[in-house]
Amino acid sequence: MNGAPLLPRGQYARIGRLFATACLLGIVLEMQAAPGSPASASQAGAVESDSIDTPPPKFAADLGNFRSPLLFRDGHRARTAAEWFNRREEIIREWQALLGPWPAPLTSPRLEVLESGVRENFTQQRVRVEIAVNQWVPGWLLIPAVTGPLPAVLVPFYEPETSAGLKAAPHRDFALQLVHQGFVTLAIGSPGGDAWHPDTGTASCQPLAFLACAAANAGTALAARPEVNPRRVGIVGHSYGGKWALFAAAFDPRFAACAVSDPGVVFDETRPNVNYWEPWYLGREPGKTRRPGVVTPQNPRTGAYRELIAGGHDLHELLALLAPRPFLLSGGAEDPPERWRALNHLIAVNDLLGVTRRVAMTHRATHDPDAESNAALVAFLVRTLGADAGRD
């Protein structure tokens, strides 16, 4: 998570070129395996699981009705890594223009420790994190009792207590589960404490764009901790937290891996919990009040969401921005197996970049995570970020 933070629109060209150069040199993430670990230097960052990193035969090579993210707006196709990163910049410019002016990133966001104590076999600290100018969110920082620098994971959710395992919410305690595996974890809550009316301060961008900026700044603060290896900071979230994590990782390439639990990874208007159209995500429009609920002729699209749909955009474009970093979709009721159609576009970009087995999906019947889906999610992050002390 070192280097330049999330960039405002118009400043992505330089980081795109640097990222392209790194990828072409084969050093993106530099996930070389420690002796005895499941990943190999030649397949750095690979998911290494035959059961979750291959689409089922029904969806293998099925690209659905999505326009390929490899196609530039003028219709020509990116056929080299360098061309892809030019196309990547084009996607970012389009989305950021539609989502509204993004806040300037914080170069040194603060993380203040309010209290500290020992819990089980790790240190638990109640903190507050600066996520915008003069704007803070509450959080819990969990630190393993082993020598660092260690990989780390940012866990956004409605409030941080659930993620830290301090609130009765079965299988949503990602920060607690991951600290047990050797990760430094930072659980944060919604700006202003209300996900349905998020406090976006002076920002005029869509709320979900602001959350992406907030997560980027929180990630910068986490990476600056002495216990953390800044090159191995990932992000994970469930449902609302999964939307937040997806947008943050898509627009900030410093997140080295991303795992999301059933957020809805396409604009599926048949499922009320996918709900990117709501004003607290992408549908905010000054002067208009939209009733909560699915899109209908009587309750039409609003805000940036309306413009995204009109322009033929969908979330597979943001998935493509994750390449070549490892990505796991822990799917449930909102993300059934046919989401492989969208994930196949990310795989196609990875293929162009010369990397394989960076995309994985699990599936359960319910929206709620369960022990099996969480075990796969934790194993994915251990394999792709590494959880051994002192690793570089």
Side-chain angles (χ1 to χ4, degrees):
M1 199 76 186
N2 56 340
L6 183 76
L7 302 178
R9 182 164 58 91
Q11 297 184 29
Y12 263 87
R14 180 174 177 271
I15 196 169
R17 287 192 295 269
L18 293 173
F19 194 48
T21 301
C23 182
L24 290 168
L25 291 174
I27 60 173
V28 169
L29 309 184
E30 294 189 1
M31 290 188 181
Q32 297 182 357
S37 68
S40 66
S42 62
Q43 191 51 29
V47 174
E48 293 293 331
S49 171
D50 292 331
S51 62
I52 68 172
D53 69 351
T54 303
K58 181 178 180 181
F59 300 111
D62 184 350
L63 298 174
N65 295 321
F66 301 103
R67 184 181 190 274
S68 172
L70 292 169
L71 291 175
F72 285 83
R73 276 292 150 184
D74 65 9
H76 83 276
R77 187 179 185 88
R79 299 191 182 279
T80 67
E83 287 182 331
W84 159 246
F85 286 106
N86 288 331
R87 169 60 181 148
R88 186 180 191 276
E89 292 173 21
E90 184 178 66
I91 293 172
I92 291 169
R93 288 195 302 270
E94 290 178 337
W95 277 76
Q96 289 200 322
L98 290 168
L99 298 186
W102 291 47
L106 302 178
T107 56
S108 300
R110 292 166 286 177
L111 187 156
E112 295 183 354
V113 177
L114 305 178
E115 61 182 55
S116 182
V118 175
R119 176 183 171 194
E120 301 177 20
N121 62 342
F122 58 88
T123 298
Q124 174 178 283
Q125 296 180 336
R126 187 167 67 88
V127 301
R128 67 175 196 148
V129 187
E130 189 178 22
I131 50 99
V133 176
N134 296 321
Q135 192 170 350
W136 302 73
V137 292
W140 290 95
L141 182 68
L142 310 181
I143 306 169
V146 293
T147 303
L150 299 168
V153 176
L154 178 69
V155 188
F157 199 53
Y158 295 100
E159 32 65 38
E161 285 72 28
T162 291
S163 303
L166 297 171
K167 184 176 180 180
H171 307 303
R172 288 171 169 80
D173 55 349
F174 293 126
L176 178 61
Q177 293 180 51
L178 289 165
V179 74
H180 287 153
Q181 297 298 320
F183 291 89
V184 178
T185 59
L186 174 60
I188 60 172
S190 300
D194 185 347
W196 294 273
H197 297 89
D199 180 4
T200 58
T202 60
S204 59
C205 59
Q206 291 292 321
L208 197 46
F210 180 80
L211 292 179
C213 295
N217 288 326
T220 300
L222 176 60
R225 295 286 305 182
E227 309 91 350
V228 171
N229 183 336
R231 303 160 76 90
R232 298 180 185 278
V233 177
I235 187 168
V236 60
H238 168 65
S239 192
Y240 160 71
K243 290 178 171 67
W244 188 347
L246 174 61
F247 270 65
F251 288 103
D252 194 329
R254 297 172 306 152
F255 285 110
C258 177
V260 296
S261 172
D262 210 39
V265 295
V266 300
F267 290 150
D268 187 344
E269 294 180 351
T270 69
R271 298 177 181 273
N273 289 328
V274 171
N275 69 348
Y276 288 94
W277 50 83
E278 299 292 7
W280 53 85
Y281 287 133
L282 300 175
R284 186 171 69 180
E285 184 172 341
K288 287 193 176 182
T289 301
R290 186 184 184 279
R291 298 190 311 276
V294 296
V295 172
T296 66
Q298 296 74 35
N299 198 23
R301 306 176 185 111
T302 54
Y305 180 79
R306 180 187 60 233
E307 302 307 315
L308 286 163
I309 296 297
H313 299 281
D314 210 318
L315 294 174
H316 72 297
E317 295 178 351
L318 298 195
L319 292 173
L321 298 182
L322 296 170
R325 295 166 289 162
F327 174 73
L328 170 71
L329 171 58
S330 179
E334 310 309 320
D335 284 312
E338 53 262 37
R339 296 295 187 246
W340 275 108
R341 295 185 178 116
L343 297 183
N344 284 337
H345 288 279
L346 172 54
I347 292 173
V349 176
N350 281 334
D351 287 344
L352 180 63
L353 298 178
V355 297
T356 58
R357 306 185 72 179
R358 299 289 179 93
V359 181
M361 180 178 180
T362 60
H363 186 255
R364 58 187 181 270
T366 64
H367 178 60
D368 295 339
D370 56 31
E372 184 178 1
S373 66
N374 281 357
L377 183 147
V378 170
F380 164 83
L381 291 170
V382 169
R383 287 169 179 150
T384 57
L385 289 178
D388 50 315
R391 192 170 174 185
D392 186 27

